[in-house]
Amino acid sequence: MSLMTLVGSITGHHDPDYYAGRADAHDEHTNGTTLTELAHRARLIADHHPSTQYALGYTDRLLELRREHTATIAAQTDLAHTGSAA
């Protein structure tokens, strides 16, 4: 038999809904949702979701994904232009 230990999470002073929004955006992107679709969903969530913190978390993760995508493209472009012309 095991007992469940309940411990408060360290949330960086954010509401748990904030992290739920981040997790949902991350999961959707991992499952193949494009950044354009995520941006559209973020706008809908901002307008219609009852939790502002959820909408902020979702949007924050979307912005991080965009920055990651942009950095990846820049690195790949740099590699393509500095490769040897063998």
Side-chain angles (χ1 to χ4, degrees):
M1 184 166 127
S2 64
L3 297 174
M4 182 170 50
T5 304
L6 299 175
V7 178
S9 62
I10 299 172
T11 61
H13 306 293
H14 287 289
D15 190 293
D17 285 347
Y18 174 83
Y19 294 101
R22 288 181 58 84
D24 285 348
H26 176 80
D27 291 345
E28 289 172 6
H29 182 65
T30 301
N31 290 332
T33 306
T34 66
L35 293 176
T36 303
E37 291 170 326
L38 286 176
H40 178 70
R41 290 179 186 178
R43 286 190 296 272
L44 291 174
I45 288 169
D47 289 341
H48 301 292
H49 200 279
S51 173
T52 302
Q53 290 298 316
Y54 180 91
L56 288 173
Y58 195 98
T59 303
D60 279 352
R61 184 62 186 139
L62 168 61
L63 294 173
E64 288 173 3
L65 288 167
R66 281 185 174 170
R67 286 191 298 268
E68 290 170 10
H69 181 71
T70 302
T72 301
I73 289 174
Q76 289 173 346
T77 302
D78 190 42
L79 273 174
H81 288 291
T82 59
S84 62

Coordinates of all heavy atoms in Angstrom, one line a residue:
M1 N 0.8 -1.2 0.0 CA 0.0 0.0 0.0 C 0.9 1.2 0.0 O 1.9 1.3 0.7 CB -0.9 0.0 1.2 CG -1.8 1.1 1.3 SD -3.1 0.8 2.6 CE -3.0 2.3 3.5
S2 N 0.5 2.2 -0.8 CA 1.3 3.5 -0.8 C 0.4 4.6 -0.4 O -0.8 4.6 -0.6 CB 1.8 3.7 -2.2 OG 0.8 3.8 -3.1
L3 N 1.0 5.6 0.1 CA 0.3 6.9 0.5 C 0.7 8.0 -0.4 O 1.9 8.1 -0.8 CB 0.6 7.2 1.9 CG 0.1 6.2 3.0 CD1 0.6 6.7 4.3 CD2 -1.4 6.1 3.0
M4 N -0.2 8.8 -0.9 CA 0.1 9.9 -1.7 C 0.6 11.1 -0.8 O -0.1 11.4 0.2 CB -1.1 10.3 -2.5 CG -0.9 11.5 -3.4 SD -2.2 11.8 -4.6 CE -3.6 11.9 -3.6
T5 N 1.7 11.7 -1.2 CA 2.2 12.8 -0.5 C 1.8 14.1 -1.3 O 2.1 14.2 -2.5 CB 3.7 12.8 -0.4 OG1 4.1 11.5 0.2 CG2 4.2 13.9 0.4
L6 N 1.1 15.0 -0.6 CA 0.7 16.2 -1.3 C 1.7 17.3 -0.9 O 1.9 17.6 0.2 CB -0.7 16.6 -0.8 CG -1.8 15.6 -1.1 CD1 -3.1 16.0 -0.5 CD2 -2.0 15.4 -2.6
V7 N 2.2 17.9 -2.0 CA 3.2 18.9 -1.8 C 2.9 20.1 -2.7 O 2.5 19.8 -3.9 CB 4.6 18.4 -2.1 CG1 5.7 19.5 -2.0 CG2 5.0 17.2 -1.3
G8 N 2.9 21.2 -2.2 CA 2.7 22.4 -3.1 C 3.8 22.6 -4.1 O 4.9 22.4 -3.8
S9 N 3.4 22.9 -5.3 CA 4.4 23.0 -6.3 C 5.1 24.4 -6.3 O 4.5 25.4 -5.8 CB 3.8 22.8 -7.7 OG 2.8 23.8 -8.0
I10 N 6.3 24.5 -6.8 CA 7.0 25.8 -6.9 C 6.6 26.3 -8.2 O 7.1 25.8 -9.3 CB 8.5 25.6 -6.7 CG1 8.8 25.0 -5.4 CG2 9.2 26.9 -6.9 CD1 10.2 24.6 -5.2
T11 N 5.8 27.3 -8.3 CA 5.3 27.8 -9.6 C 5.8 29.2 -10.0 O 5.3 29.8 -10.9 CB 3.7 27.9 -9.5 OG1 3.4 28.8 -8.5 CG2 3.1 26.5 -9.2
G12 N 6.8 29.7 -9.2 CA 7.4 31.0 -9.6 C 6.3 32.1 -9.5 O 6.3 33.0 -10.3
H13 N 5.5 31.9 -8.5 CA 4.4 32.9 -8.2 C 3.4 33.0 -9.3 O 2.7 34.1 -9.5 CB 5.0 34.3 -7.9 CG 6.0 34.2 -6.8 ND1 5.7 33.9 -5.5 CD2 7.4 34.4 -6.8 CE1 6.8 33.9 -4.8 NE2 7.8 34.2 -5.6
H14 N 3.3 32.0 -10.2 CA 2.2 32.0 -11.2 C 1.1 31.1 -10.8 O 1.4 30.1 -10.1 CB 2.8 31.5 -12.6 CG 3.7 32.5 -13.3 ND1 3.2 33.6 -13.8 CD2 5.0 32.5 -13.5 CE1 4.2 34.3 -14.4 NE2 5.3 33.6 -14.2
D15 N 0.0 31.3 -11.3 CA -1.2 30.5 -11.1 C -0.9 29.2 -11.8 O -0.3 29.1 -12.9 CB -2.4 31.2 -11.6 CG -3.7 30.5 -11.3 OD1 -3.9 29.4 -11.8 OD2 -4.5 31.1 -10.6
P16 N -1.4 28.0 -11.3 CA -1.2 26.7 -12.0 C -1.9 26.8 -13.4 O -1.4 26.0 -14.3 CB -2.0 25.7 -11.1 CG -1.9 26.4 -9.7 CD -2.0 27.8 -10.0
D17 N -2.8 27.6 -13.6 CA -3.4 27.7 -15.0 C -2.4 28.2 -16.0 O -2.5 27.8 -17.1 CB -4.6 28.7 -15.0 CG -5.9 28.1 -14.3 OD1 -5.9 26.8 -14.1 OD2 -6.8 28.8 -14.1
Y18 N -1.5 29.0 -15.5 CA -0.4 29.5 -16.4 C 0.4 28.3 -17.0 O 0.6 28.2 -18.2 CB 0.5 30.4 -15.6 CG 1.7 30.9 -16.4 CD1 1.7 32.0 -17.3 CD2 3.0 30.3 -16.2 CE1 2.8 32.4 -18.0 CE2 4.1 30.7 -16.9 CZ 4.0 31.8 -17.8 OH 5.1 32.2 -18.5
Y19 N 0.8 27.4 -16.1 CA 1.5 26.2 -16.5 C 0.7 25.2 -17.3 O 1.2 24.6 -18.2 CB 2.2 25.6 -15.3 CG 3.2 26.5 -14.7 CD1 3.0 27.2 -13.6 CD2 4.5 26.7 -15.4 CE1 3.9 28.1 -13.1 CE2 5.4 27.5 -14.9 CZ 5.1 28.3 -13.7 OH 6.1 29.1 -13.2
A20 N -0.6 25.2 -17.0 CA -1.5 24.3 -17.8 C -1.5 24.9 -19.3 O -1.5 24.1 -20.2 CB -2.9 24.3 -17.2
G21 N -1.6 26.2 -19.4 CA -1.6 26.8 -20.8 C -0.3 26.5 -21.5 O -0.3 26.1 -22.7
R22 N 0.8 26.6 -20.8 CA 2.1 26.3 -21.4 C 2.2 24.9 -21.9 O 2.7 24.6 -23.0 CB 3.3 26.6 -20.4 CG 3.5 28.1 -20.2 CD 4.7 28.3 -19.2 NE 5.9 27.7 -19.7 CZ 6.7 28.2 -20.6 NH1 6.5 29.4 -21.0 NH2 7.8 27.6 -20.9
A23 N 1.7 24.0 -21.0 CA 1.8 22.6 -21.3 C 0.9 22.2 -22.5 O 1.3 21.4 -23.4 CB 1.4 21.8 -20.1
D24 N -0.3 22.8 -22.6 CA -1.2 22.5 -23.7 C -0.5 23.0 -25.0 O -0.6 22.3 -26.0 CB -2.5 23.2 -23.5 CG -3.4 22.4 -22.5 OD1 -3.0 21.3 -22.1 OD2 -4.4 23.0 -22.1
A25 N 0.1 24.2 -25.0 CA 0.7 24.7 -26.2 C 1.9 23.8 -26.6 O 2.0 23.5 -27.8 CB 1.2 26.1 -26.0
H26 N 2.6 23.4 -25.7 CA 3.8 22.5 -25.9 C 3.3 21.2 -26.5 O 3.8 20.7 -27.5 CB 4.6 22.3 -24.7 CG 5.7 21.3 -24.8 ND1 6.9 21.6 -25.4 CD2 5.8 20.0 -24.5 CE1 7.6 20.5 -25.5 NE2 7.0 19.5 -24.9
D27 N 2.3 20.6 -25.9 CA 1.8 19.3 -26.4 C 1.2 19.4 -27.8 O 1.4 18.5 -28.6 CB 0.7 18.7 -25.4 CG 1.3 18.3 -24.1 OD1 2.5 18.2 -24.0 OD2 0.5 18.2 -23.1
E28 N 0.4 20.4 -28.0 CA -0.2 20.6 -29.4 C 0.9 20.7 -30.4 O 0.8 20.2 -31.5 CB -1.1 21.8 -29.4 CG -2.4 21.5 -28.6 CD -3.2 22.8 -28.4 OE1 -2.9 23.8 -29.0 OE2 -4.2 22.7 -27.7
H29 N 2.0 21.5 -30.1 CA 3.1 21.7 -31.1 C 3.8 20.3 -31.3 O 4.2 20.0 -32.4 CB 4.0 22.8 -30.6 CG 5.1 23.0 -31.6 ND1 4.9 23.5 -32.8 CD2 6.5 22.8 -31.5 CE1 6.1 23.6 -33.5 NE2 7.0 23.2 -32.7
T30 N 4.0 19.6 -30.2 CA 4.7 18.3 -30.3 C 3.9 17.3 -31.1 O 4.5 16.5 -31.8 CB 4.9 17.7 -28.9 OG1 5.7 18.7 -28.1 CG2 5.6 16.4 -28.9
N31 N 2.6 17.5 -31.1 CA 1.7 16.6 -31.9 C 1.5 17.1 -33.3 O 0.7 16.5 -34.1 CB 0.3 16.4 -31.2 CG 0.4 15.7 -29.9 OD1 1.3 14.8 -29.8 ND2 -0.4 15.9 -29.0
G32 N 2.2 18.1 -33.7 CA 2.2 18.5 -35.1 C 1.5 19.8 -35.5 O 1.4 20.1 -36.7
T33 N 1.0 20.5 -34.5 CA 0.3 21.7 -34.8 C 1.3 22.8 -35.2 O 2.3 22.9 -34.6 CB -0.5 22.2 -33.6 OG1 -1.4 21.1 -33.1 CG2 -1.3 23.4 -33.9
T34 N 1.0 23.5 -36.3 CA 2.0 24.5 -36.8 C 1.9 25.7 -35.9 O 1.0 26.0 -35.2 CB 1.6 24.9 -38.2 OG1 0.4 25.6 -38.2 CG2 1.6 23.7 -39.1
L35 N 2.9 26.6 -36.0 CA 3.0 27.8 -35.3 C 1.8 28.7 -35.7 O 1.3 29.5 -34.8 CB 4.3 28.5 -35.5 CG 5.5 27.8 -34.9 CD1 6.8 28.5 -35.2 CD2 5.4 27.6 -33.4
T36 N 1.5 28.7 -36.9 CA 0.3 29.6 -37.4 C -1.0 29.1 -36.7 O -1.8 29.9 -36.3 CB 0.2 29.5 -38.9 OG1 1.4 29.9 -39.5 CG2 -0.9 30.3 -39.4
E37 N -1.2 27.8 -36.7 CA -2.4 27.3 -36.0 C -2.4 27.6 -34.5 O -3.4 28.0 -33.9 CB -2.5 25.8 -36.2 CG -2.8 25.4 -37.6 CD -2.7 23.9 -37.9 OE1 -1.8 23.2 -37.2 OE2 -3.4 23.4 -38.7
L38 N -1.2 27.5 -33.9 CA -1.1 27.8 -32.5 C -1.4 29.3 -32.2 O -2.0 29.6 -31.2 CB 0.3 27.5 -31.9 CG 0.6 26.0 -31.7 CD1 2.1 25.9 -31.3 CD2 -0.3 25.4 -30.7
A39 N -0.9 30.2 -33.1 CA -1.2 31.6 -33.0 C -2.7 31.9 -33.1 O -3.2 32.7 -32.3 CB -0.4 32.4 -34.0
H40 N -3.3 31.2 -34.0 CA -4.8 31.3 -34.1 C -5.5 30.9 -32.9 O -6.4 31.6 -32.3 CB -5.3 30.6 -35.3 CG -6.8 30.6 -35.5 ND1 -7.4 31.8 -35.9 CD2 -7.8 29.7 -35.3 CE1 -8.7 31.6 -36.0 NE2 -9.0 30.3 -35.6
R41 N -5.1 29.7 -32.3 CA -5.7 29.2 -31.1 C -5.4 30.1 -29.9 O -6.3 30.3 -29.1 CB -5.2 27.8 -30.8 CG -5.6 26.8 -31.8 CD -5.1 25.4 -31.5 NE -5.4 24.5 -32.5 CZ -5.1 23.2 -32.5 NH1 -4.3 22.7 -31.6 NH2 -5.5 22.4 -33.5
A42 N -4.2 30.7 -29.9 CA -3.9 31.6 -28.8 C -4.8 32.8 -28.8 O -5.2 33.3 -27.7 CB -2.4 32.1 -28.9
R43 N -5.1 33.3 -30.0 CA -6.1 34.5 -30.1 C -7.4 34.1 -29.6 O -8.1 34.9 -28.9 CB -6.1 35.0 -31.5 CG -4.9 35.8 -31.9 CD -5.1 36.5 -33.2 NE -5.2 35.6 -34.4 CZ -4.2 35.1 -35.1 NH1 -3.0 35.4 -34.8 NH2 -4.4 34.3 -36.1
L44 N -7.9 32.9 -30.0 CA -9.2 32.4 -29.5 C -9.2 32.2 -28.0 O -10.2 32.6 -27.3 CB -9.6 31.1 -30.2 CG -9.9 31.2 -31.7 CD1 -10.1 29.8 -32.3 CD2 -11.2 32.1 -31.9
I45 N -8.2 31.6 -27.5 CA -8.1 31.4 -26.0 C -8.1 32.8 -25.3 O -8.7 32.9 -24.3 CB -6.8 30.6 -25.7 CG1 -7.0 29.1 -26.2 CG2 -6.5 30.6 -24.2 CD1 -5.8 28.3 -26.1
A46 N -7.3 33.7 -25.8 CA -7.2 35.0 -25.2 C -8.6 35.7 -25.1 O -9.0 36.4 -24.1 CB -6.3 36.0 -25.9
D47 N -9.4 35.5 -26.1 CA -10.8 36.1 -26.2 C -11.8 35.3 -25.4 O -12.7 35.9 -24.9 CB -11.3 36.2 -27.6 CG -10.5 37.2 -28.4 OD1 -9.9 38.1 -27.8 OD2 -10.5 37.2 -29.6
H48 N -11.7 34.0 -25.3 CA -12.8 33.2 -24.8 C -12.5 32.3 -23.5 O -13.4 31.8 -22.9 CB -13.3 32.3 -25.9 CG -13.8 33.0 -27.1 ND1 -14.9 33.8 -27.1 CD2 -13.3 33.1 -28.3 CE1 -15.1 34.4 -28.2 NE2 -14.1 34.0 -29.0
H49 N -11.2 32.1 -23.2 CA -10.9 31.2 -22.0 C -11.2 32.0 -20.7 O -10.8 33.2 -20.6 CB -9.5 30.8 -22.1 CG -9.3 29.5 -21.3 ND1 -9.1 29.6 -19.9 CD2 -9.2 28.2 -21.6 CE1 -8.9 28.4 -19.5 NE2 -9.0 27.5 -20.5
P50 N -11.8 31.3 -19.8 CA -12.1 32.1 -18.5 C -10.9 32.4 -17.7 O -11.0 33.3 -16.8 CB -13.1 31.1 -17.8 CG -12.8 29.8 -18.4 CD -12.4 30.0 -19.8
S51 N -9.8 31.8 -17.9 CA -8.6 32.0 -17.1 C -7.6 32.9 -17.9 O -7.0 32.4 -18.9 CB -7.9 30.7 -16.6 OG -6.7 30.9 -16.0
T52 N -7.3 34.0 -17.4 CA -6.3 34.9 -18.0 C -4.9 34.3 -17.9 O -4.1 34.4 -18.8 CB -6.3 36.3 -17.3 OG1 -7.6 36.8 -17.4 CG2 -5.3 37.2 -18.0
Q53 N -4.6 33.6 -16.8 CA -3.3 33.0 -16.6 C -3.1 31.9 -17.6 O -2.0 31.7 -18.1 CB -3.2 32.5 -15.2 CG -3.1 33.6 -14.1 CD -1.8 34.4 -14.4 OE1 -0.7 33.9 -14.6 NE2 -2.0 35.7 -14.3
Y54 N -4.1 31.1 -17.9 CA -4.0 30.1 -18.9 C -3.7 30.7 -20.3 O -2.8 30.2 -20.9 CB -5.3 29.3 -19.0 CG -5.3 28.1 -20.0 CD1 -4.9 26.9 -19.6 CD2 -5.6 28.4 -21.3 CE1 -4.9 25.8 -20.5 CE2 -5.6 27.3 -22.3 CZ -5.2 26.1 -21.9 OH -5.1 25.1 -22.8
A55 N -4.4 31.7 -20.6 CA -4.1 32.4 -21.9 C -2.7 32.9 -21.9 O -2.0 32.8 -23.0 CB -5.1 33.5 -22.1
L56 N -2.2 33.5 -20.8 CA -0.8 34.0 -20.8 C 0.2 32.9 -20.9 O 1.2 33.0 -21.7 CB -0.6 34.8 -19.5 CG -1.3 36.1 -19.4 CD1 -1.1 36.7 -17.9 CD2 -0.7 37.1 -20.4
G57 N 0.0 31.8 -20.3 CA 0.9 30.7 -20.4 C 0.9 30.1 -21.8 O 2.0 29.8 -22.3
Y58 N -0.2 30.0 -22.4 CA -0.3 29.4 -23.8 C 0.5 30.4 -24.7 O 1.3 29.9 -25.5 CB -1.8 29.3 -24.2 CG -2.0 28.5 -25.4 CD1 -2.4 27.2 -25.3 CD2 -1.9 29.0 -26.7 CE1 -2.6 26.4 -26.4 CE2 -2.1 28.3 -27.8 CZ -2.5 26.9 -27.7 OH -2.7 26.2 -28.8
T59 N 0.2 31.7 -24.6 CA 0.9 32.6 -25.5 C 2.4 32.7 -25.2 O 3.2 32.8 -26.2 CB 0.2 34.0 -25.3 OG1 -1.2 33.9 -25.5 CG2 0.8 35.0 -26.2
D60 N 2.8 32.6 -23.9 CA 4.2 32.6 -23.6 C 4.9 31.5 -24.3 O 6.0 31.6 -24.9 CB 4.5 32.6 -22.1 CG 4.3 33.9 -21.5 OD1 4.2 34.9 -22.2 OD2 4.4 34.0 -20.2
R61 N 4.3 30.3 -24.2 CA 5.0 29.1 -24.8 C 5.0 29.3 -26.4 O 6.0 28.9 -27.0 CB 4.3 27.8 -24.4 CG 4.9 26.6 -25.0 CD 6.3 26.4 -24.5 NE 7.0 25.3 -25.1 CZ 8.2 25.3 -25.5 NH1 9.0 26.3 -25.3 NH2 8.7 24.2 -26.1
L62 N 4.0 29.8 -26.9 CA 3.9 30.1 -28.4 C 5.1 31.0 -28.8 O 5.8 30.8 -29.8 CB 2.6 30.7 -28.8 CG 2.5 31.2 -30.2 CD1 2.8 30.1 -31.3 CD2 1.2 31.9 -30.5
L63 N 5.3 32.1 -28.0 CA 6.4 33.0 -28.3 C 7.7 32.3 -28.2 O 8.6 32.6 -29.0 CB 6.3 34.2 -27.4 CG 5.0 35.1 -27.6 CD1 5.0 36.2 -26.6 CD2 5.0 35.7 -29.0
E64 N 7.9 31.4 -27.2 CA 9.2 30.7 -27.1 C 9.4 29.8 -28.3 O 10.5 29.7 -28.8 CB 9.2 29.9 -25.8 CG 9.3 30.7 -24.6 CD 9.1 29.9 -23.3 OE1 9.0 28.6 -23.4 OE2 9.2 30.4 -22.2
L65 N 8.3 29.1 -28.7 CA 8.4 28.2 -29.9 C 8.8 29.0 -31.1 O 9.6 28.6 -32.0 CB 7.1 27.5 -30.1 CG 6.8 26.4 -29.1 CD1 5.3 25.9 -29.2 CD2 7.7 25.2 -29.2
R66 N 8.2 30.2 -31.3 CA 8.6 31.1 -32.4 C 10.1 31.5 -32.4 O 10.8 31.4 -33.4 CB 7.7 32.3 -32.5 CG 6.4 32.1 -33.0 CD 5.6 33.4 -33.1 NE 4.4 33.2 -33.8 CZ 3.4 34.2 -33.8 NH1 3.7 35.3 -33.3 NH2 2.3 34.0 -34.5
R67 N 10.6 31.8 -31.2 CA 12.0 32.2 -31.1 C 12.9 31.0 -31.4 O 13.9 31.2 -32.0 CB 12.2 32.8 -29.7 CG 11.7 34.2 -29.5 CD 12.2 34.8 -28.2 NE 11.8 34.1 -27.0 CZ 10.7 34.4 -26.3 NH1 9.9 35.4 -26.7 NH2 10.4 33.7 -25.2
E68 N 12.5 29.8 -30.9 CA 13.3 28.6 -31.2 C 13.3 28.3 -32.7 O 14.4 28.0 -33.2 CB 12.7 27.4 -30.4 CG 12.9 27.5 -28.9 CD 12.1 26.4 -28.2 OE1 11.5 25.5 -28.9 OE2 12.0 26.5 -27.0
H69 N 12.2 28.5 -33.3 CA 12.1 28.2 -34.7 C 13.0 29.2 -35.5 O 13.7 28.9 -36.4 CB 10.6 28.4 -35.2 CG 10.4 28.1 -36.6 ND1 10.5 26.9 -37.2 CD2 10.1 29.0 -37.6 CE1 10.3 27.0 -38.5 NE2 10.0 28.2 -38.8
T70 N 12.9 30.5 -35.1 CA 13.7 31.5 -35.8 C 15.2 31.3 -35.6 O 16.0 31.4 -36.5 CB 13.3 32.9 -35.3 OG1 11.9 33.1 -35.5 CG2 14.1 34.0 -35.9
A71 N 15.6 30.9 -34.4 CA 17.0 30.6 -34.1 C 17.5 29.4 -34.9 O 18.6 29.4 -35.4 CB 17.2 30.4 -32.6
T72 N 16.6 28.4 -35.0 CA 17.0 27.2 -35.8 C 17.2 27.6 -37.3 O 18.2 27.1 -37.9 CB 16.0 26.1 -35.7 OG1 15.8 25.8 -34.3 CG2 16.3 24.9 -36.4
I73 N 16.3 28.3 -37.8 CA 16.4 28.7 -39.2 C 17.7 29.6 -39.4 O 18.4 29.4 -40.4 CB 15.2 29.5 -39.7 CG1 14.0 28.5 -39.8 CG2 15.4 30.2 -41.0 CD1 12.7 29.2 -40.1
A74 N 18.0 30.5 -38.5 CA 19.2 31.3 -38.6 C 20.5 30.4 -38.6 O 21.4 30.7 -39.4 CB 19.2 32.4 -37.5
A75 N 20.5 29.5 -37.7 CA 21.7 28.6 -37.6 C 21.8 27.7 -38.8 O 22.9 27.6 -39.3 CB 21.5 27.7 -36.4
Q76 N 20.7 27.2 -39.4 CA 20.8 26.4 -40.6 C 21.2 27.3 -41.8 O 22.0 26.8 -42.6 CB 19.4 25.8 -40.9 CG 19.1 24.7 -39.9 CD 17.7 24.1 -40.1 OE1 16.9 24.7 -40.7 NE2 17.4 23.0 -39.4
T77 N 20.8 28.5 -41.8 CA 21.2 29.4 -42.9 C 22.6 29.7 -42.8 O 23.4 29.7 -43.8 CB 20.3 30.7 -42.9 OG1 18.9 30.3 -43.0 CG2 20.7 31.6 -44.0
D78 N 23.1 30.0 -41.6 CA 24.5 30.2 -41.4 C 25.4 29.0 -41.8 O 26.4 29.2 -42.5 CB 24.8 30.6 -40.0 CG 26.2 31.1 -39.7 OD1 26.6 32.0 -40.6 OD2 26.8 30.8 -38.7
L79 N 25.0 27.9 -41.5 CA 25.7 26.7 -41.9 C 25.7 26.5 -43.4 O 26.7 26.1 -44.0 CB 25.0 25.4 -41.2 CG 25.5 25.1 -39.9 CD1 24.7 23.9 -39.3 CD2 27.0 24.7 -39.9
A80 N 24.6 26.7 -44.0 CA 24.5 26.6 -45.5 C 25.4 27.6 -46.2 O 26.0 27.2 -47.2 CB 23.1 26.8 -46.0
H81 N 25.6 28.8 -45.6 CA 26.5 29.8 -46.3 C 27.9 29.6 -46.0 O 28.8 30.2 -46.6 CB 26.0 31.2 -46.0 CG 24.7 31.5 -46.6 ND1 24.6 31.7 -48.0 CD2 23.4 31.7 -46.1 CE1 23.3 31.9 -48.3 NE2 22.6 31.9 -47.2
T82 N 28.3 28.9 -44.9 CA 29.7 28.8 -44.5 C 30.2 27.4 -44.8 O 31.4 27.1 -44.6 CB 29.9 29.0 -43.0 OG1 29.1 28.1 -42.3 CG2 29.5 30.4 -42.6
G83 N 29.4 26.5 -45.4 CA 29.9 25.2 -45.8 C 30.9 25.3 -46.9 O 31.0 26.2 -47.7
S84 N 31.7 24.2 -47.0 CA 32.7 24.2 -48.0 C 32.1 23.9 -49.4 O 31.1 23.2 -49.5 CB 33.8 23.2 -47.7 OG 33.2 21.9 -47.7
A85 N 32.7 24.5 -50.4 CA 32.2 24.3 -51.8 C 33.0 23.2 -52.5 O 33.8 23.4 -53.4 CB 32.3 25.6 -52.6
A86 N 32.8 22.0 -52.0 CA 33.6 20.9 -52.5 C 33.1 20.4 -53.8 O 32.1 20.2 -54.2 CB 33.7 19.8 -51.4

